[in-house]
Amino acid sequence: MDKKEFGRKQRIMEASLRDVKTTLSVISNVVAVGIGLKESGRKFTEKISYRVFVAVKKDLAELKPEEIIPAAIDGIPTDVLTPYSVVNDSGVCGEERMTLSMKRPLRAGIAVSGDSTSYGTLGWFGKLDDGTDVLLTSKHVLYDGINQIDLRKLKTAQPRLGKPAGCFCPASGNDNVIGDSVIGIRNIHSSGDTSADCAIARIHPELASDIVLEITNDSTAEILTVTGTASAVIGDN
């Protein structure tokens, strides 16, 4: 299936997603429903599906008739999955302010900001279609907490926006700018709906050349390494 066909199917599924959620939510084991590529053998296939997350995945023989998730809905296959488990580490939780240090080269897990007072976490990296390196974070980190799409091109700093010195000596001041924002999307609803809070910022080329593909910061000794690439969206939207 080509990208345009993926996009067409995705838009149809998005229009029906609320009804699909309502239908499946009556099944006691279902915790969430979304749209994405169907998995097989822990690998993504080329089939778009309704991804149905259940608290516990059971064999078909163990299920009552009313607990069985249909193999397809309106001709679209379903994919039954268990959600990722996130465990709170009490030794790290609450210590995010320890990450407010300048980090070069850039890596995930460090502080970024669009101003001089607040900050948030650099989540990961990506590339635009033209090959431009970008960082991924939340809209409230680079823009604000308003539910809307924001296309303003604003300074993105690490760790926070500084104030350059008032002279021409490059060593006397640094505003910490590492790039500029591209887009911010925030659409937060009640817990029963799909929500989004994300933003993308271009990274200055001189800082993009030596990005470290790790996730860590000063509040933990743990270092997570990531390999491989994947498309950020299924279709064109």
Side-chain angles (χ1 to χ4, degrees):
M1 188 184 301
D2 62 26
K3 192 174 182 179
K4 287 185 177 180
E5 180 62 12
F6 266 133
R8 186 189 69 82
K9 278 200 170 184
Q10 181 176 335
R11 288 188 289 273
I12 292 173
M13 294 170 69
E14 287 171 347
S16 303
L17 183 57
R18 186 181 294 272
D19 291 338
V20 172
K21 285 182 177 180
T22 300
T23 299
L24 295 178
S25 64
V26 300
I27 301 175
S28 59
N29 199 30
V30 173
V31 295
V33 181
I35 297 171
L37 295 177
K38 187 176 178 67
E39 294 183 36
S40 178
R42 303 188 69 177
K43 293 183 179 180
F44 288 111
T45 69
E46 291 295 312
K47 294 182 179 179
I48 192 170
S49 67
Y50 286 113
R51 291 165 63 87
V52 184
F53 293 89
V54 296
V56 179
K57 200 167 182 178
K58 302 177 181 179
D59 291 334
L60 188 61
E62 300 179 69
L63 298 173
K64 299 176 182 178
E66 64 271 19
E67 295 176 330
I68 297 175
I69 295 168
I73 298 175
D74 296 331
I76 304 295
T78 58
D79 193 11
V80 181
L81 307 157
T82 52
Y84 293 109
S85 176
V86 179
V87 179
N88 179 31
D89 184 342
S90 59
V92 174
C93 184
E95 298 180 359
E96 187 180 9
R97 294 188 182 278
M98 294 176 62
T99 69
L100 274 175
S101 57
M102 181 180 289
K103 295 294 183 182
R104 305 290 187 273
L106 299 176
R107 65 196 65 207
I110 62 177
V112 289
S113 180
D115 57 42
S116 61
T117 57
S118 64
Y119 69 95
T121 303
L122 193 165
W124 195 239
F125 304 98
K127 284 184 180 291
L128 302 182
D129 287 343
D130 62 4
T132 301
D133 290 280
V134 295
L135 64 82
L136 314 177
T137 185
S138 300
K139 179 179 182 285
H140 73 265
V141 174
L142 299 186
Y143 292 95
D144 51 42
I146 300 174
N147 275 3
Q148 65 180 24
I149 296 175
D150 200 322
L151 297 173
R152 288 178 295 164
K153 183 178 178 180
L154 305 177
K155 290 181 178 180
T156 297
Q158 196 290 311
R160 291 193 290 205
L161 191 63
K163 184 177 181 180
C167 72
F168 295 102
C169 175
S172 63
N174 188 338
D175 61 3
N176 301 332
V177 172
I178 60 172
D180 52 81
S181 55
V182 176
I183 186 173
I185 302 172
R186 183 176 170 89
N187 191 15
I188 303 297
H189 296 289
S190 63
S191 58
D193 292 327
T194 300
S195 298
D197 185 354
C198 55
I200 297 173
R202 290 185 180 88
I203 302 172
H204 287 164
E206 64 271 20
L207 296 175
S209 60
D210 59 354
I211 288 172
V212 177
L213 297 181
E214 295 177 348
I215 306 173
T216 190
N217 57 48
D218 292 344
S219 69
T220 177
E222 186 176 14
I223 299 176
L224 304 179
T225 57
V226 181
T227 59
T229 60
S231 176
V233 295
I234 294 174
D236 294 325
N237 293 337

